[in-house]
Amino acid sequence: MNARDRDGEGRARSARPRDGLGRPLAYGEPGVERQPEGVVRTPAETVAEAQRLLDAGMPFHAHEVFEDAWKSGPGAEAPLWRALAQLAVGLTHAARGNAVGGSRLLLRGASALAGPGAGDGAGGGGPYGIDVPGLVRWARELAGRVAAGAAVDAAAEAPRLRAPRDRPEQPERPGPR
């Protein structure tokens, strides 16, 4: 008989620890705390928590936050949160070294955010202060680099979810020189 790990509700769920990119580690190894599932947040709380996780190099966990928003929020907003989750998963795959999956998910998320006929995403901003045009540009640029074989550090490549005018003042992030 195959004994499986179960969660508190009896569903099969691996109890193995995970690293910051969501990869399973061996039982007993130290891992990062899992993102709780099913948390209902306001849109502002969703964006803030996802940004914190992205900045910490944990895009897999940020995707879980976006997934909660798309599943618990109004149906009309589901495409926004799903597209943001795809960007986070694309960054996750890219940071794990999966160039094909990473670039495809980044492009899929960018296309979903841009919407039909949006071209390069150079329009106005998005709901909740989300920098939709900036995220579309970021995802497309990163997808190109990933497809060309660039190594990706998830924290260094973390996107800014809000337009600069919609964020509290933060120190400038050092970039490549």
Side-chain angles (χ1 to χ4, degrees):
M1 173 154 243
N2 182 7
R4 298 183 71 181
D5 295 332
R6 303 270 175 195
D7 66 12
E9 296 175 6
R11 292 183 305 231
R13 186 173 314 266
S14 176
R16 288 173 58 184
R18 304 274 175 161
D19 71 5
L21 293 174
R23 293 176 290 211
L25 301 170
Y27 286 103
E29 284 192 35
V32 300
E33 189 173 329
R34 289 182 184 229
Q35 188 64 33
E37 293 180 34
V39 177
V40 177
R41 298 175 182 86
T42 67
E45 291 168 337
T46 295
V47 172
E49 178 64 4
Q51 187 68 68
R52 182 187 73 76
L53 293 164
L54 288 166
D55 290 345
M58 296 170 45
F60 179 81
H61 295 75
H63 122 271
E64 297 282 354
V65 170
F66 291 134
E67 191 172 274
D68 284 342
W70 114 46
K71 291 180 177 180
S72 68
E77 294 181 2
L80 168 69
W81 302 118
R82 187 173 26 249
L84 292 170
Q86 287 174 326
L87 295 183
V89 172
L91 179 56
T92 299
H93 281 283
R96 289 177 177 177
N98 177 357
V100 173
S103 62
R104 283 184 183 162
L105 281 162
L106 287 164
L107 292 174
R108 187 178 303 147
S111 292
L113 269 182
D120 66 0
Y128 312 116
I130 296 170
D131 183 8
V132 170
L135 287 169
V136 169
R137 285 189 300 274
W138 166 83
R140 289 178 176 164
E141 187 274 330
L142 182 58
R145 287 191 292 119
V146 168
V152 171
D153 176 301
E157 296 289 350
R160 289 285 170 215
L161 299 174
R162 289 196 169 124
R165 67 187 175 284
D166 295 328
R167 292 193 313 258
E169 196 58 38
Q170 297 176 348
E172 194 60 32
R173 188 179 280 196
R177 303 217 191 283

